[in-house]
Every structure is written in structure tokens, then in C-alpha cells.
Amino acid sequence: MTGTFVGMPAFPTAAREALGDTQLRTNLAHATRTIRDKRAMVVAEVEDWEELRVAGAAVKEAALRDLATHLETLEESLVRAGATVHWAGDAAEACAIVASITHAHGVDEVVKVKSMATAEIGLNEALEAEGIAAWETDLAELIVQLGDDLPSHILVPAIHRNRAEIREIFLRRMGDVGRPAPADLTDEPAVLAGAAREHLREKFLRAKVAISGANFAVADTGTLVVVESEGNGRMCLTLPEVLISVVGIEKVVATWSDLDPMMRLLPRSSTGERMNPYTSTWSGVTPGDGPQEVHVVLLDNGRTRALADDVGRQALRCIRCSACLNVCPVYERVGGHAYGSVYPGPIGAILNPLLRGVSDEQSASLPYASSLCGACFEVCPVRIDIPSVLVDQRAAVVDSHRDDRVPKAEALAMRATAWAFSDSRRLAWAERASGLAGRVLTRFSRTTLPGGRAAAGRLPGPAAGWTGARDLPAPPEESFRAWWDRTDGGTKGDGS
């Protein structure tokens, strides 16, 4: 691993490699099954769960429909409370703002709360290039950082690691960047957590600048909300003198009361808990209490592009719970790295193309990284119809190649089909050729489908990718039109 997703191959290539890693598949199967079961248990306790999902979706949709107004209200509320608001159009602008603030305080290190937005923009790497060390304080993010690894899950970034691997990473790397792990470190979870706690404590106590994201931003009160399970977020949000929060513009909700359904949906859908152990809220600066300088960077980075998509805009309702990852049969087998982004799984398969477009091969491969089984929609707490958006994004991928100078094999096949179907004589000729192919394939078939119908095995050439994992029914030896003519509409002959 390189520590960055830049240059990652397209999903089919990356997935094929991941499928060969048996340890990875074992780790993923165990972890996703555990989280799935916990979620199912606590969700079953809520009698009106479906009504709660509808309410959560309505809150987010209402905010998106008047996003500009809510963002202006949020800015006014934050400034009134003593915060400084910055607007960032893209990743480079956001990273430059954060680096500038950090340099202004003469520090060469910051502590961070787990944040998808900062991972999305590559903030750690940008700060490193400026001579600033950014220390992750979430346990799973710390494991990823010390292992020079990449996150593979929205909620549990180190889900692909087991206890033995984590112990080895701590022993090998902790001493290079701070307090070393004890020499007698075991792989017991409590012992590993204790080593991380001791390692991080000195960083918390000396840090002057902290960086966070936000789960929600309440427009009318100027309140940012972070929910977490370890207490590291509370340390980052209260101890340093300066706090910089990088917040995606889609995180806004209109009012404090709008938080109600969200705070009931998120913990059950993410960690399988009835409520989060730590919920931190802050509104600007409070004299003598907490950071005395607060900056909020409101990040676009493709979100307005997604908002303009009538079908895909619903992806901006996402509250990053990761429930869709834990039920996805594709994710469970290949893990998060195959998606080439900090947003893996079903939500990543639509969010990445919506934010970045489908002009590059890696992004264009993601809408196809799904079986369209629909399990993701069934568990999504804000009712994002991921399968529908996937299909729509597949259409966008096809449309993006319509003007290619060298058309793809699929496009050529569709053109040939249109040519044959547009003339009855050509169609009749194609049916006769299909019947001949059917007789040949039936004779040499290696596969039989239910009902006794023959199917071709793996075909060579361009069809190999399709038939390598799917049964291809052999064409019928006689077309329907030929049968109709021969039997006079089924009234003559054997009628079969």
C-alpha cells in the first residue's frame, strides 16, 4: 500500500486481486457479520423503524432542496458565535486553507478526529508536504496510519486487519512516531487499546491545533456535531487552542429539532448501538472553555455537481453509517481497497462517480461493482435508492463513450443489433444464423440449465469476461417466427 488511492486500478482488476487474499476475506466475513447482527438486533427494538427512516430521509431531502439558504444561515450563525468560516471549492483549496491556518500558529503537528471529508481531500498528505504531521487519534485510523495502509471501511477503517496484524504494526511502528508499544504487548483487544491510549495521550496534551469533520451542521444555531465511540474526539474538540473543522456542505440540517431522527438512526445503523457513547456539539467560541479560535471550512469538492443530478442527488443524504457496506455481498468478498476511494461499498460506487464524474476508468468501473440485489436500500437509514442510482450511473458511463473515436465492443454489438432489428429481412437472416449457432452450442455444450436447456461454457475473445462468471443460454435452434410459420400459429404439427 502507498498511503494514497491515487493511481488505483479499475474495480475489476483490484477486485480480482482482493479475491485471492484468503485472510482478507476471512477478516471481512467475520467483521461484517458481527456488525450486521448487532444492527439487526437494535433496529428490531424500534417499532416505528420504517417511519423513522422516512423522517430521516425527509430531513436530509428538505435541507438539500434549499441548500444555498441553509448554508448562508449556517455561516451567519457560526460567525455570530465567534467562528471563522471559509469556503472551499475543491480539495486543493481546502487543504491550502487548513495549512495556512496551521502555519499561522507556528506548529508542525496537529491531532485529528476521524473525518471522511479530510480523507477525501487527502489532507494528511497535503499537510505532510507542508512539513506538518497530522496524527490520527481514532484507534482504527491510527492502525491504518501506522501501517502505511489505506482505510477499507467507512466506520471501521482497519476492518481488513486482525488482532495479530495490529499487534505487529504497533510493535514495529509506534516507537518511530512517539511513545513505543510495550515490549510484552499481546493481541488482546483491551491490551492493544491500552497501548494506543498511552501513545496518543502525549499527543493530545501537547497539541495546539486540532482538525475535525462533522456528522451534522445545524444551520439555525451554528452547531457542529461529532459522534464517536472512543472519547478521542472529545479530547481533540476540547483540549487544543485552535480547532479547524472541514465539513461537507451536504452535512447541513435546518434546525436543532431535525437532529432528532438523525441521532436515533445513526448509532443503530452504524455501530449497532442505541446511542453513541460520545456526542459532542459546539457552536463557535466560548470564552475560557475549549478552543479559543474556531475555523469551519465548508467543502464542495463535487457536491454541487452531484446535487445537479436529478437521480443521483439522493446520495448526498448519506450519513456515513456504513450499513450498506455490511450487507453488500460484493464488499464482503473484496473489501474496501478495491473501490479505490475512501468511500467504498455500495455508497462509494455511486458517490465517487457523482463527485468526480465518470471520465476516468477507475470511476467509470464503480457503478458496475454491484449485483443490484437491493440489500443496500433495505438497510439505508435515509432510504437512498442505491440500485436505481447505480443503473443511472451505468447509463452515464455509456453516454460518456458515445463520441469515442474507437468504439467499445459493447457499442459495436449494440449498433449491429440495431442494424439487424431495423429490417425484417436482416432480422430473419440473424434468426437463421442464431439457430445454427444454437445447434452447434447445444451439441458441444458443457453446461445444462434448469429444465434441461443447454448453455455455452466460457467463450473466447470479448465474450470471455461475461461468460466466465455467467451461464450463457444457447440460442434456440428454431426462432419463434419460424415455429409460428411451420405450425400455422400452433394449430398444426406437434405444437411444441
Side-chain angles (χ1 to χ4, degrees):
M1 290 296 173
T2 63
T4 175
F5 284 104
V6 175
M8 289 286 285
F11 182 84
T13 301
R16 191 174 298 112
E17 180 179 347
L19 284 170
D21 188 337
T22 55
Q23 184 62 61
L24 171 68
R25 295 181 66 177
T26 299
N27 295 350
L28 287 169
H30 172 72
T32 54
R33 182 173 60 252
T34 300
I35 301 172
R36 257 196 326 265
D37 292 345
K38 287 180 63 181
R39 175 199 171 275
M41 181 179 66
V42 295
V43 164
E45 298 172 352
V46 184
E47 292 183 4
D48 60 346
W49 179 252
E50 288 306 312
E51 289 80 359
L52 193 59
R53 290 179 70 207
V54 171
V59 165
K60 293 293 288 183
E61 191 61 31
L64 292 173
R65 287 187 182 279
D66 199 10
L67 184 59
T69 299
H70 295 314
L71 288 172
E72 290 174 357
T73 301
L74 175 65
E75 180 183 29
E76 293 170 1
S77 300
L78 285 166
V79 171
R80 192 183 311 119
T84 302
V85 176
H86 311 261
W87 296 85
D90 57 23
E93 188 174 0
C95 291
I97 291 169
V98 176
S100 175
I101 297 168
T102 307
H103 280 311
H105 289 274
V107 299
D108 59 4
E109 66 175 358
V110 297
V111 290
K112 289 183 68 221
V113 188
K114 180 179 180 296
S115 163
M116 300 301 297
T118 60
E120 172 193 330
I121 64 176
L123 180 61
N124 288 11
E125 293 75 24
L127 291 178
E128 183 179 8
E130 295 280 340
I132 302 166
W135 304 119
E136 297 290 353
T137 63
D138 174 84
L139 177 57
E141 291 284 8
L142 175 67
I143 294 165
V144 169
Q145 185 175 47
L146 291 177
D148 295 320
D149 204 347
L150 293 169
S152 63
H153 192 276
I154 289 175
L155 178 68
V156 194
I159 195 172
H160 55 289
R161 295 292 192 183
N162 60 32
R163 299 186 311 184
E165 291 173 315
I166 295 168
R167 173 184 176 273
E168 188 276 329
I169 290 171
F170 281 8
L171 286 171
R172 176 169 50 88
R173 289 284 289 125
M174 271 188 173
D176 296 339
V177 294
R179 185 186 181 99
D184 59 349
L185 183 70
T186 70
D187 64 1
E188 287 299 313
V191 176
L192 293 171
R197 188 180 301 115
E198 293 298 323
H199 175 81
L200 290 171
R201 185 162 292 152
E202 62 181 26
K203 298 184 186 299
F204 285 132
L205 293 176
R206 71 169 181 253
K208 293 184 178 180
V209 177
I211 298 173
S212 81
N215 294 96
F216 306 103
V218 183
D220 67 347
T221 61
T223 303
L224 301 187
V225 183
V226 164
V227 297
E228 39 109 8
S229 300
E230 300 172 15
N232 62 298
R234 185 68 56 82
M235 301 280 276
C236 287
L237 298 171
T238 57
L239 289 177
E241 301 169 6
V242 181
L243 174 61
I244 308 169
S245 300
V246 181
V247 184
I249 56 175
E250 84 284 10
K251 297 294 187 180
V252 68
V253 296
T255 66
W256 184 264
S257 61
D258 286 340
L259 281 178
D260 175 34
M262 315 314 298
M263 298 303 291
R264 288 190 283 160
L265 287 164
L266 180 55
R268 284 181 165 84
S269 298
S270 57
T271 55
E273 297 172 298
R274 296 174 184 86
M275 64 181 294
N276 289 96
Y278 296 90
T279 298
S280 300
T281 66
W282 69 100
S283 303
V285 175
T286 301
D289 183 14
Q292 296 302 289
E293 185 176 327
V294 173
H295 296 263
V296 179
V297 182
L298 295 175
L299 174 70
D300 185 333
N301 203 38
R303 285 157 176 79
T304 52
R305 174 196 182 102
L307 189 66
D309 189 303
D310 290 338
V311 177
R313 60 181 293 152
Q314 61 185 294
L316 296 178
R317 299 203 299 249
C318 176
I319 58 175
R320 309 294 192 264
C321 69
S322 76
C324 61
L325 280 68
N326 301 324
V327 298
C328 178
V330 177
Y331 175 86
E332 184 176 345
R333 285 156 179 79
V334 304
H337 294 153
Y339 294 83
S341 165
V342 295
Y343 302 118
I347 188 62
I350 61 173
L351 191 57
N352 291 308
L354 285 165
L355 294 177
R356 304 191 307 223
V358 293
S359 57
D360 65 280
E361 183 183 10
Q362 200 278 328
S363 295
S365 70
L366 293 178
Y368 299 92
S370 170
S371 66
L372 300 180
C373 68
C376 48
F377 172 66
E378 295 300 323
V379 300
C380 177
V382 288
R383 295 178 57 83
I384 301 171
D385 189 355
I386 293 177
S388 293
V389 182
L390 284 167
V391 172
D392 189 66
Q393 285 298 299
R394 291 180 185 186
V397 173
V398 173
D399 289 342
S400 72
H401 291 289
R402 292 197 185 279
D403 297 326
D404 287 357
R405 293 184 61 184
V406 180
K408 294 183 176 294
E410 179 187 22
L412 292 174
M414 290 299 175
R415 291 177 191 176
T417 302
W419 177 82
F421 279 28
S422 62
D423 183 89
S424 61
R425 289 171 297 178
R426 291 197 289 263
L427 180 59
W429 177 86
E431 288 174 341
R432 288 193 293 272
S434 174
L436 176 61
R439 286 191 288 273
V440 172
L441 289 172
T442 299
R443 182 174 181 181
F444 295 102
S445 172
R446 295 175 297 196
T447 308
T448 302
L449 298 178
R453 188 175 179 186
R458 179 166 185 157
L459 299 180
W466 178 269
T467 58
R470 302 170 179 86
D471 291 323
L472 178 65
E477 297 181 24
E478 183 179 36
S479 71
F480 175 80
R481 295 204 305 177
W483 171 85
W484 185 269
D485 291 340
R486 178 174 62 81
T487 64
D488 194 13
T491 62
K492 295 179 181 179
D494 57 13
S496 60

